[in-house]
Amino acid sequence: MKRIIAILAVMAMMTAVFAGCNNQEEPKPTEATTQKVTETETEETTETEEETTEATTSTDEFPTEADTTAADTNNYKEPQKRWSANVPSVWDKYGKIIEDPSGKYVKFVYKKAYDEYQAGHVFTINTVSAANKVDVTQYPHAEEVYLDKNIQIYVMYPTDVQFGGIDGSEMDTQSVEYGKLKNTTDAIIDSLKVL
């Protein structure tokens, strides 16, 4: 079901891209229309500015930098005390942090999808000894974030849709909640400190 939804989303995006390519305007004559064009441009600019202001004040939008300030974060320490990271408070509401008992990984998931059907993967921070260094290029979506003579830390990201309900019926609401978590990924990874 997830693959079908992903394929439909890709097809919709491709349709939008190609539809935009066909929208070619014919050149218009430049005679005596300067006054009208200026008035129209001014009206369009004002409307666009109003729409932008309305869009930025919406409460359902993903968190911005102002929403994830240092005061709104919790310092998370990995169980083996090898690293720590600042986790925005939005994770208290929508997220869940799953610690591997063996200490190999810490998984950050969208709580609702994980609890209902074991999905909701946002990202996973893996920690291994430098002697067992992993070639992250073998994974479809991973990156190394730290390596020294003792440890390697790398992050794995999901490769398919991780929300929407088991039958896809909650796609709209869950995409907003999952998106709020996903939007904090870079800030969490950037705040990672080796202890």
Side-chain angles (χ1 to χ4, degrees):
M1 181 67 178
K2 292 178 188 176
R3 288 186 180 152
I4 293 171
I5 293 170
I7 291 170
L8 291 174
V10 169
M11 290 173 50
M13 287 189 297
M14 294 299 291
T15 303
V17 167
F18 289 119
C21 293
N22 284 335
N23 191 9
Q24 296 177 348
E25 293 183 16
E26 294 181 20
K28 297 179 182 176
T30 56
E31 32 174 280
T33 57
T34 308
Q35 182 68 23
K36 289 180 183 177
V37 170
T38 306
E39 289 173 4
T40 305
E41 286 176 356
T42 305
E43 289 172 11
E44 288 175 2
T45 304
T46 305
E47 288 174 11
T48 305
E49 288 173 0
E50 289 171 2
E51 289 170 7
T52 304
T53 304
E54 288 175 15
T56 1
T57 58
S58 172
T59 57
D60 289 338
E61 293 297 317
F62 296 156
T64 62
E65 287 181 29
D67 296 331
T68 58
T69 60
D72 293 338
T73 62
N74 302 310
N75 189 268
Y76 171 81
K77 286 187 181 166
E78 183 247 359
Q80 278 69 34
K81 310 249 187 289
R82 295 174 289 188
W83 56 266
S84 69
N86 294 327
V87 179
S89 59
V90 69
W91 281 85
D92 296 336
K93 184 172 184 179
Y94 299 115
K96 186 176 200 175
I97 299 173
I98 301 167
E99 300 167 341
D100 174 39
S102 69
K104 293 180 182 175
Y105 65 83
V106 175
K107 185 181 275 194
F108 291 74
V109 298
Y110 170 45
K111 184 174 15 183
K112 187 182 282 184
Y114 187 83
D115 290 346
E116 289 178 17
Y117 49 95
Q118 300 297 301
H121 180 228
V122 180
F123 66 96
T124 300
I125 300 176
N126 298 277
T127 310
V128 296
S129 68
N132 296 323
K133 180 183 173 209
V134 173
D135 177 13
V136 296
T137 61
Q138 69 180 326
Y139 296 109
H141 198 178
E143 68 175 329
E144 181 178 274
V145 293
Y146 183 82
L147 176 66
D148 68 13
K149 63 182 181 172
N150 298 314
I151 63 169
Q152 176 194 34
I153 301 173
Y154 62 98
V155 181
M156 295 180 68
Y157 303 97
T159 57
D160 62 353
V161 178
Q162 294 289 314
F163 55 86
I166 240 171
D167 59 355
S169 62
E170 298 179 45
M171 188 60 74
D172 292 338
T173 57
Q174 287 193 11
S175 68
V176 170
E177 293 172 356
Y178 179 90
K180 288 180 180 183
L181 298 174
K182 187 174 183 335
N183 194 50
T184 65
T185 301
D186 288 341
I188 294 170
I189 303 298
D190 292 344
S191 74
L192 192 139
K193 291 182 184 173
V194 176
L195 303 175

